[in-house]
Amino acid sequence: MRPRRLRSALVLGAAATATALALGPAAPATAGTHGPAPAARAATAGTHGPAPAARAATVHGLTPVTDLLARRLLLADKVAAAKYGTDTPIDDPVREAQILDDVRARASSLGLEPDAVAAVFRDQIEANKLVQRALYARWNAHPAERPTERPDLAKEVRPALDRITTGLLAALRDTERARTAPACGPRLATAAGWSAYTHRLDAPHLEGMGRALPSVCAAPR
């Protein structure tokens, strides 16, 4: 399947799963629509939803990976707020190359295939930029929604992204068997839908989730 079609299939599957979960009795009224503001999403993520036993049944397989992808996507809000209205561009090829070189080196130490891991992180970078562009467009069209504070990109945002990078590398290692299984695609879409629901992803972040997924399923080694 071509990458564009695969992304579409995955994001549609994730959206369908998130919508089905949002229609459940425990879902908040806003889930699956526009979602609350980023701070509210971060504060409430995981506080609603199914009973503990039901949650425990879902936290397996690829959910640890998709939860980290969702958390990384939500940090795109702070990245965008840090850059918006400044000379700092959304695209940062030097920083992106540094990230990919770093994860290649760390992948080797974890027994993972470096280029495959770099492909996953390249998708995360592109997904993050997709969300940033969507936020820029929203803020340009609706000035009242523009951020009122500018996070510190070097001291606040990048350290948080680095922590997620460490967690994601570990999750890729721990889920290698699931990611190389023939059923990885549909299971990944289901996990992404669950993570989209629990993290209250709105439309731009849900689109970003679709962009973040294609390289997660790996060919058998």
Side-chain angles (χ1 to χ4, degrees):
M1 185 179 290
R2 293 180 179 177
R4 187 179 298 275
R5 291 181 181 177
L6 176 60
R7 287 200 299 270
S8 298
L10 288 170
V11 74
L12 287 172
T17 304
T19 301
L21 288 165
L23 292 175
T30 56
T33 55
H34 297 291
R41 284 200 304 272
T44 60
T47 59
H48 300 284
R55 284 200 301 270
T58 62
V59 182
H60 64 87
L62 295 165
T63 312
V65 173
T66 56
D67 276 350
L68 287 163
L69 304 190
R71 287 172 55 194
R72 199 179 195 283
L73 285 168
L74 290 173
L75 276 175
D77 298 48
K78 287 191 173 184
V79 176
K83 293 180 177 181
Y84 187 75
T86 74
D87 294 332
T88 305
I90 289 176
D91 291 278
D92 187 349
V94 173
R95 169 70 176 169
E96 293 167 18
Q98 290 172 344
I99 293 171
L100 296 179
D101 287 344
D102 175 61
V103 297
R104 281 192 181 94
R106 294 168 69 180
S108 294
S109 69
L110 293 171
L112 296 169
E113 207 289 312
D115 287 340
V117 170
V120 172
F121 278 89
R122 188 178 295 109
D123 284 344
Q124 307 322 302
I125 291 169
E126 294 304 320
N128 193 285
K129 292 191 292 186
L130 188 155
V131 173
Q132 290 181 58
R133 293 187 183 103
L135 290 172
Y136 272 33
R138 178 189 294 173
W139 296 337
N140 288 337
H142 305 284
E145 297 183 15
R146 293 174 181 172
T148 56
E149 297 181 359
R150 192 181 304 283
D152 190 307
L153 194 59
K155 295 181 179 180
E156 177 184 356
V157 183
R158 286 178 175 166
L161 287 170
D162 290 342
R163 288 191 292 271
I164 290 177
T165 294
T166 298
L168 184 52
L169 283 165
L172 292 174
R173 176 198 60 202
D174 295 343
T175 60
E176 186 171 21
R177 180 176 296 180
R179 292 188 302 105
T180 56
C184 178
R187 289 176 180 172
L188 179 62
T190 300
W194 173 257
S195 297
Y197 171 68
T198 57
H199 289 275
R200 308 297 195 266
L201 300 191
D202 61 9
H205 295 83
L206 186 58
E207 186 177 357
M209 177 66 88
R211 180 63 185 86
L213 296 175
S215 296
V216 172
C217 291
R221 299 177 71 177

